[in-house]
Amino acid sequence: MFCIYNLGYYEILRFSELKKNIDGISGRMLTVTLKKLEEHGIVKRKVYSEAPPKVEYALTDFGFALSNKLIDISSWFVDNYKVLK
Amino acid sequence: MFCIYNLGYYEILRFSELKKNIDGISGRMLTVTLKKLEEHGIVKRKVYSEAPPKVEYALTDFGFALSNKLIDISSWFVDNYKVLK
DNA sequence: CTGTATCCGGCTGGATACTG
DNA sequence: CAGTATCCAGCCGGATACAG
């Protein structure tokens, strides 16, 4: 979720940037999450053959569409959700 | 999620009916889930003082709105999601 | 029937050390 | 820097027994 939001906003991010933006996530989880998102055709992965290594992540078209859907529902949520008391 | 879908479709369901509809859920989880949904103003709970006890669950207005949002996004998803291969 | 309380096994995911 | 591999603590949630 946070990966999708971040990439929806910044368009392109490196692994370490994502890790910094997503508070508290471990490198391990970020790796497996990005791998899943890639498998599901939501993010694209671009590797630069350099030293030090550099990998950029971005949303696919489908990922962008999904991102908008999620932004829709979450902004609707913050507008309409009231805690009972 | 399944609770919301079920109640969105059937409008009113008893505890045991929900449990039957939601495949594999345990009584314990259904209880805690419904309690959370109630706390968050998504479902209403109506208790009939009878023997045997009878409790009906239904969505609140907010719950219905949420239900529609979820149905929207999930149907969009099945329309647009393609597995890569 | 609709829960509540307790136990407990499995999975999730953080921490750490290591590689290219 | 961007991962991979391993370990392991904590939590989640199923099963069970019990209560009202």
Side-chain angles (χ1 to χ4, degrees), chain B residues 9-63:
Chain B
Y9 187 74
Y10 292 104
E11 312 233 329
I12 296 181
L13 286 176
R14 304 185 54 178
F15 184 87
S16 50
E17 294 170 330
L18 270 170
K19 182 152 170 29
K20 191 161 26 172
N21 288 351
I22 302 172
D23 186 49
I25 196 172
S26 66
R28 183 185 165 284
M29 270 317 291
L30 185 54
T31 302
V32 312
T33 302
L34 288 169
K35 198 172 289 182
K36 268 185 205 158
L37 291 174
E38 197 189 354
E39 280 169 13
H40 293 133
I42 293 168
V43 307
K44 291 176 287 196
R45 186 165 176 276
K46 184 164 188 185
V47 185
Y48 295 83
S49 300
E50 307 171 353
K54 174 179 169 184
V55 180
E56 288 179 345
Y57 293 91
L59 294 178
T60 60
D61 292 343
F62 175 67

Side-chain angles (χ1 to χ4, degrees), chain B residues 1 4 22-23 37 54 70 77 79:
Chain B
M1 288 283 305
I4 295 174
I22 302 172
D23 186 49
L37 291 174
K54 174 179 169 184
L70 295 177
F77 204 87
D79 287 344

